[in-house]
Amino acid sequence: MKNIVLIGFMGSGKTTIGKLLADKLGVSLIDTDKLIEKKFGKQIKDIFKDEGEDAFRLVESEVINEVSSVGNKVIACGGGVILNHKNVQALKKNGLLIYLKASAPILFERIREEGSRPLLNVPNPKDKVSELLKARESLYENVADIVIDTSDMNVDKVVKEIQEKLNE
Ligand code: S3P
């Protein structure tokens, strides 16, 4: 099986949906943010604070290269993974990219309470979500093999729709 690679904005449900999907498919879930945290020995927000975003992105690419080398798993990526085309190329080698799409207001509602995302640690996170999504939306769309709109869907429905698309 090719890797099933979940991409999308923060709050699009990559980790939650990834867990369910991996269970259904009987494969393991790799969460790239977790691997990056392991490499640094600290949480994402502290990596951004202490080392800076560039250092985070470098290690993110390292992790992407490592997890892309073999198939047979579900990979939940950080929202910014598509910013570097080399990451996309690596992921596509052994993987099918699924974009979990949702609108800015819905994404904001899902993540507003969390406080774990350094990029949204700004005076007006709602505007920041809109701004970042606007800049990234076409990238997500262009690199995706499959696009799933998750705006009105519950996670079970999303997983079912992914499985249907995979069987087509
Ligand atoms: C980021 C998304 C985060 C994490 C980091 C940067 C981004 O992952 O990788 O905070 O640039 O969108 P999630 O999408 O899992 O929140």
Side-chain angles (χ1 to χ4, degrees):
M1 186 188 99
K2 274 193 156 192
N3 288 322
I4 307 299
V5 182
L6 302 178
I7 59 166
F9 202 78
M10 295 170 265
S12 58
K14 293 162 296 195
T15 306
T16 313
I17 290 163
K19 272 190 200 133
L20 260 176
L21 186 64
D23 276 355
K24 297 248 178 211
L25 296 172
V27 297
S28 50
L29 169 73
I30 302 283
D31 184 325
T32 59
D33 281 345
K34 291 243 169 69
L35 293 182
I36 298 166
E37 287 181 332
K38 224 184 218 170
K39 286 209 178 209
F40 278 102
K42 51 177 112 170
Q43 292 185 331
I44 304 277
K45 63 176 177 6
D46 294 320
I47 302 171
F48 271 67
K49 183 160 58 79
D50 303 343
E51 327 282 339
E53 181 172 351
D54 289 353
F56 171 84
R57 296 294 174 204
L58 271 179
V59 173
E60 182 175 51
S61 292
E62 250 174 62
V63 164
I64 293 296
N65 278 325
E66 287 163 17
V67 301
S68 299
S69 59
V70 280
N72 223 35
K73 56 194 174 303
V74 175
I75 304 175
C77 296
V81 77
I82 41 76
L83 297 173
N84 181 344
H85 197 69
K86 287 202 174 127
N87 293 342
V88 174
Q89 275 177 333
L91 289 164
K92 276 188 178 272
K93 257 193 318 199
N94 283 311
L96 199 70
L97 270 57
I98 302 187
Y99 171 32
L100 302 179
K101 184 183 163 107
S103 69
I106 286 175
L107 292 166
F108 179 67
E109 281 310 315
R110 290 182 191 161
I111 53 189
R112 63 184 304 170
E113 305 294 344
E114 287 178 27
S116 60
R117 271 108 175 172
L119 292 176
L120 303 180
N121 192 9
V122 294
N124 193 337
K126 191 168 189 194
D127 286 352
K128 190 73 183 175
V129 168
S130 298
E131 180 196 313
L132 283 175
L133 184 63
K134 206 167 160 199
R136 293 178 178 182
E137 186 121 55
S138 62
L139 283 171
Y140 291 127
E141 302 259 2
N142 290 340
V143 303
D145 298 296
I146 295 172
V147 178
I148 307 269
D149 193 335
T150 69
S151 301
D152 308 316
M153 278 195 250
N154 66 36
V155 284
D156 290 317
K157 272 196 188 158
V158 172
V159 170
K160 214 165 158 207
E161 191 171 336
I162 294 174
Q163 286 190 288
E164 279 165 15
K165 298 249 178 185
L166 292 176
N167 290 331
E168 270 171 18

